[in-house]
Amino acid sequence: PNSELSLFRQDCILTGSRAGVLYNCCRFISYKLFLEILLKISAPKEITEWARSLMDAGRYWEPIVNDFFSKMMAKEFSRITGTEYFFCYEPGPFAEEDTSATPDGLWTFRVNDVWYYFPYEIKFFASKSVMPDTLPDEYLAQVLMQMIHAKCGVSLLIGAVVVDGVPGYRVWLLKYTPQLLDDYRMRIEQLRKDLANLEIPYRKRNEGHILHPMVISYTNDCTEIWAFILENLDLLVSLRAGEDGFTEPF
């Protein structure tokens, strides 16, 4: 709670974990209540013990999932390319004006003389006994915000559940469109206007369906994941090795 990251997030009007309010698709907070909290008209709801237990489960399992998939992706990259130019990073927040988004990780790799990176998000479905087939709309909003802030057109959401002590995995392959980018920008600007004008419009409709075209497919096969990534290199962030003395990422 008192970390530098936490204090930084407190100064932002919106972070990735609350991006769903832009589409009124957050399960526990509406756009109206979100504005009321920012304007200090209402107080945030206290976290229940049940919700806290789910968060604790996520804190335990998500690093395990991250380590497992990063190693599997690195192994498959080495098999495909014959090189070891693959790294996994835990980034800080990507800040943009008064908003920020923090992916769970960045996978960085080199193809020929070019380095690429893209963000990804991990979700441990602590309340589920089976892997869901679809993602909650608020998760799509979160990943979209991460992609836009990271200036990367593709991302992954890695989902995990544990049944009888055995973890299961599914990876959703995500890509945003120019229309989604423009729509997001419009919604962020409207949020700023509402705050500046002290206006609290009432939005009843959930517009999370707007985000559904982001989902390309899902898989748990690292070969399919790499095929998706390598087919979309033009949408990733890239830097040519040797430019300005650059030889390795970060």
Side-chain angles (χ1 to χ4, degrees):
N2 297 315
S3 68
E4 186 177 353
L5 175 59
S6 177
L7 295 174
F8 173 79
R9 285 173 169 164
Q10 291 174 24
D11 290 333
C12 296
I13 64 169
L14 185 69
T15 60
S17 60
R18 281 288 180 260
V21 298
L22 296 176
Y23 307 86
N24 213 30
C25 64
C26 275
R27 286 169 290 179
F28 304 114
I29 185 170
S30 66
Y31 183 79
K32 179 178 180 291
L33 179 56
F34 181 75
L35 283 174
E36 290 177 349
I37 292 172
L38 286 179
L39 295 171
K40 303 189 185 306
I41 297 172
S42 297
K45 294 182 179 179
E46 291 200 16
I47 300 174
T48 65
E49 287 301 316
W50 177 76
R52 202 178 298 277
S53 69
L54 298 183
M55 293 167 63
D56 289 343
R59 290 191 186 98
Y60 174 80
W61 277 103
E62 287 178 8
I64 296 173
V65 175
N66 191 14
D67 181 66
F68 171 79
F69 257 96
S70 294
K71 288 178 178 176
M72 294 300 293
M73 289 292 287
K75 188 174 181 179
E76 181 62 10
F77 180 77
S78 177
R79 187 191 72 80
I80 292 171
T81 65
T83 70
E84 304 294 329
Y85 292 121
F86 177 91
F87 300 90
C88 175
Y89 295 91
E90 295 182 14
F94 286 86
E96 187 175 289
E97 295 186 49
D98 49 4
T99 63
S100 71
T102 308
D104 283 326
L106 293 175
W107 279 335
T108 303
F109 60 95
R110 180 173 168 174
V111 176
N112 298 323
D113 291 328
V114 181
W115 286 98
Y116 298 90
Y117 83 70
F118 66 95
Y120 59 91
E121 179 69 13
I122 299 171
K123 293 297 182 185
F124 177 69
F125 299 106
S127 63
K128 305 288 186 184
S129 58
V130 295
M131 181 70 71
D133 290 326
T134 59
L135 290 171
D137 294 342
E138 63 181 318
Y139 290 177
L140 295 177
Q142 179 179 5
V143 175
L144 175 63
M145 188 174 178
Q146 293 172 359
M147 293 160 71
I148 290 172
H149 277 224
K151 298 178 173 57
C152 187
V154 300
S155 184
L156 305 176
L157 191 144
I158 304 169
V161 295
V162 173
V163 180
D164 296 329
V166 180
Y169 305 97
R170 177 170 290 165
V171 180
W172 281 265
L173 313 180
L174 307 172
K175 182 193 297 189
Y176 73 60
T177 65
Q179 293 80 8
L180 282 174
L181 174 59
D182 292 342
D183 181 70
Y184 168 86
R185 297 290 188 204
M186 178 192 70
R187 291 170 187 270
I188 282 287
E189 287 309 309
Q190 187 60 52
L191 172 62
R192 294 189 178 111
K193 290 177 182 177
D194 290 340
L195 288 171
N197 297 330
L198 305 181
E199 293 180 357
I200 305 179
Y202 178 66
R203 293 185 187 174
K204 184 176 181 181
R205 185 169 28 160
N206 180 328
E207 297 181 298
H209 64 278
I210 292 172
L211 302 166
H212 293 179
M214 285 177 59
V215 181
I216 304 304
S217 62
Y218 60 73
T219 183
N220 59 6
D221 187 325
C222 289
T223 304
E224 292 181 21
I225 298 170
W226 273 116
F228 169 72
I229 294 167
L230 296 175
E231 287 170 3
N232 290 283
L233 287 180
D234 58 319
L235 299 178
L236 273 59
V237 181
S238 63
L239 184 63
R240 183 168 296 278
E243 290 183 356
D244 299 322
F246 177 86
T247 56
E248 291 187 1
F250 314 118

